[in-house]
């Protein structure tokens, strides 16, 4: 067989989801803790007519660049720290909706904003965001997840109300990361009023003041773990907050806020599950280095999808 044989085969339908499900059924040890992880990966791609090509954030370069982006849902065994690819999908929502014409350098920022708003309003683009596509991908993948999976772990980008609604409809709990200035409220634990609606909250959470949080344990010298059940204004639900406070060399304190929508999950497990999320990055690295994830030269999205699935499953 030569290259043309494989190229033609990339147009044939193959049920990658069933292959992944069969493979994972043989490979996973269901006596261990299994979590689902979702994340994106940037792929460099040349060619002006490549389907799905646009501006996406490249974590290596630290900026948005032209290329392709795929988002993957994988399963991770927490005890063994091994990640297995389940489904992969090409992201066709480019981060910019700008036209290809050049913009004069004499335009001010306000003129550019008005011009972009006018171009978006003139085009009949559907009001579907990238988060909506992530949510749809999750709903389509839910039937493939093992029954023992209860948590979906994602980075801070997925901490949005639309995505949380999809996670809740899928009967899963979300573990993610919050901004330091996240809008959180303390839960009211005082006496209830006889008249009117019961009071829910008792002031805003100041992440720089950890006196109201419960100290859990000392992770290592200079790093402490705090926890508390608070109310999230963006997600509109109660969450279990896990705050990692680290003392810097300059004397200042750096706080990292993790959370789980399962308020009964201990803060130590929230930290453990979120750290296990990083195993999907090693899967991306191995696929790029050893199974040619970023080597496909096709311009067609169907062929690219076939190649991405084959590479990550391998």
């Amino acid at each position: 067989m030569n290259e043309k044989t494989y190229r033609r085969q990339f147009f044939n339908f193959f049920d990658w989801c069933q292959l992944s499900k069969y493979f994972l059924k043989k490979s996973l040890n269901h006596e261990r803790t299994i979590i689902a992880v979702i994340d994106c990966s940037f792929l460099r791609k040349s060619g002006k007519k490549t389907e799905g090509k646009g501006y996406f954030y490249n974590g290596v370069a630290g900026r948005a660049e032209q290329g392709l982006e795929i988002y993957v849902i994988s399963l991770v065994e927490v005890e063994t720290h091994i990640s297995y690819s389940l489904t992969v999908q090409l992201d066709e929502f480019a981060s910019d909706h700008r036209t290809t014409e050049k913009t004069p350098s004499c335009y001010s920022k306000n003129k550019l904003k008005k011009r972009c708003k006018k171009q978006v309003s003139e085009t009949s683009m559907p009001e579907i965001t990238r988060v909506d596509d992530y949510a749809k991908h999750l709903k389509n993948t839910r039937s493939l997840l093992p029954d023992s999976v209860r948590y979906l772990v994602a980075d801070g980008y997925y901490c949005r109300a639309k995505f949380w609604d999809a996670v809740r409809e899928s009967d899963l709990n979300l573990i993610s990361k919050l901004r330091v200035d996240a809008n959180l409220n303390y839960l009211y634990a005082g006496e209830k009023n006889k008249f009117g609606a019961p009071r829910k909250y008792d002031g805003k959470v100041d992440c720089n003041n950890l006196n109201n949080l419960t100290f859990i344990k000392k992770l290592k010298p200079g790093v402490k773990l705090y926890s508390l059940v608070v109310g999230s204004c963006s997600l509109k639900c109660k969450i279990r907050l896990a705050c990692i406070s680290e003392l810097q060399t300059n004397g200042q304190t750096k706080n990292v806020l993790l959370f789980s929508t399962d308020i009964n999950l201990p803060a130590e497990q929230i930290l453990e599950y979120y750290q296990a999320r990083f195993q999907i990055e090693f899967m991306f690295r191995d696929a790029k280095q050893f199974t040619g994830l970023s080597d496909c030269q096709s311009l067609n999205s169907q062929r690219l999808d076939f190649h991405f699935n084959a590479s990550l499953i391998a």
Side-chain angles (χ1 to χ4, degrees):
M1 297 184 184
N2 57 16
E3 182 269 338
K4 186 183 293 186
T5 307
Y6 293 104
R7 180 153 42 91
R8 287 174 176 171
Q9 189 180 14
F10 275 20
F11 260 131
N12 298 334
F13 172 77
F14 187 82
D15 199 343
W16 293 104
C17 294
Q18 291 301 321
L19 176 62
S20 299
K21 188 176 180 180
Y22 176 80
F23 171 71
L24 292 173
K25 186 178 180 181
K26 300 290 184 181
S27 302
L28 290 173
N29 186 352
H30 294 278
E31 295 180 356
R32 298 192 177 107
T33 305
I34 303 173
I35 59 174
V37 178
I38 184 171
D39 202 2
C40 299
S41 181
F42 176 82
L43 304 175
R44 297 185 182 275
K45 184 67 174 165
S46 58
K48 297 181 180 180
K49 297 184 178 180
T50 303
E51 296 180 7
K53 184 181 176 182
Y55 279 91
F56 299 101
Y57 181 75
N58 183 5
V60 177
R63 63 177 182 270
E65 294 183 347
Q66 276 198 344
L68 299 177
E69 185 180 71
I70 57 174
Y71 43 92
V72 180
I73 295 180
S74 70
L75 297 178
V76 176
E77 285 185 350
V78 178
E79 289 81 4
T80 59
H81 288 256
I82 300 177
S83 179
Y84 300 92
S85 172
L86 185 60
T87 58
V88 54
Q89 187 169 325
L90 178 65
D91 191 343
E92 298 182 1
F93 286 85
S95 59
D96 64 329
H97 299 291
R98 298 170 293 182
T99 56
T100 55
E101 60 177 327
K102 294 184 178 180
T103 304
S105 58
C106 59
Y107 272 26
S108 63
K109 290 184 179 180
N110 293 331
K111 287 184 178 181
L112 284 174
K113 288 181 180 179
K114 292 180 181 179
R115 190 183 185 204
C116 291
K117 288 181 179 179
K118 185 178 179 181
Q119 289 175 354
V120 172
S121 61
E122 290 176 353
T123 58
S124 59
M125 296 179 61
E127 296 181 358
I128 300 176
T129 63
R130 187 179 302 174
V131 179
D132 294 324
D133 210 31
Y134 295 157
K136 183 180 178 181
H137 184 208
L138 174 62
K139 292 178 181 178
N140 296 334
T141 311
R142 180 62 182 98
S143 60
L144 302 176
L145 297 176
D147 297 334
S148 59
V149 176
R150 296 175 51 205
Y151 300 100
L152 176 70
V153 188
D155 60 18
Y157 181 82
Y158 298 88
C159 182
R160 299 165 188 263
K162 286 184 178 180
F163 189 74
W164 160 233
D165 291 339
V167 175
R168 181 165 44 192
E169 292 175 7
S170 302
D171 195 21
L172 295 171
N173 285 292
L174 179 64
I175 297 176
S176 185
K177 184 179 180 180
L178 290 170
R179 291 164 51 116
V180 181
D181 58 348
N183 193 0
L184 304 174
N185 290 321
Y186 294 112
L187 299 181
Y188 180 72
E191 296 181 357
K192 296 183 179 180
N193 296 327
K194 296 181 180 180
F195 305 100
R199 185 177 177 182
K200 294 182 179 179
Y201 305 117
D202 191 15
K204 298 290 184 181
V205 176
D206 184 8
C207 297
N208 296 321
N209 184 10
L210 304 179
N211 295 329
N212 294 328
L213 273 65
T214 305
F215 174 75
I216 303 300
K217 68 175 184 179
K218 193 173 183 180
L219 300 175
K220 59 182 182 180
V223 182
K224 298 178 182 179
L225 178 63
Y226 297 85
S227 179
L228 190 67
V229 177
V230 297
S232 173
C233 295
S234 60
L235 302 182
K236 297 179 181 179
C237 67
K238 298 178 182 179
I239 60 174
R240 166 68 68 177
L241 186 66
C243 177
I244 299 97
S245 179
E246 182 179 0
L247 182 63
Q248 304 289 314
T249 55
N250 57 4
Q252 297 182 354
T253 302
K254 178 183 177 182
N255 296 328
V256 177
L257 303 181
L258 307 179
F259 77 92
S260 172
T261 55
D262 182 8
I263 60 175
N264 297 319
L265 187 68
E268 300 94 322
Q269 290 189 4
I270 296 176
L271 176 60
E272 182 183 11
Y273 292 170
Y274 191 81
Q275 289 176 340
R277 180 199 68 86
F278 197 77
Q279 299 305 314
I280 195 174
E281 301 292 346
F282 296 123
M283 188 180 67
F284 291 147
R285 179 200 62 185
D286 294 342
K288 291 178 181 179
Q289 292 182 354
F290 303 112
T291 59
L293 179 63
S294 57
D295 295 342
C296 184
Q297 298 183 10
S298 177
L299 308 180
N300 182 268
S301 60
Q302 183 178 350
R303 286 175 170 171
L304 289 169
D305 181 77
F306 191 103
H307 171 76
F308 295 149
N309 280 278
S311 174
L312 285 169
I313 286 182

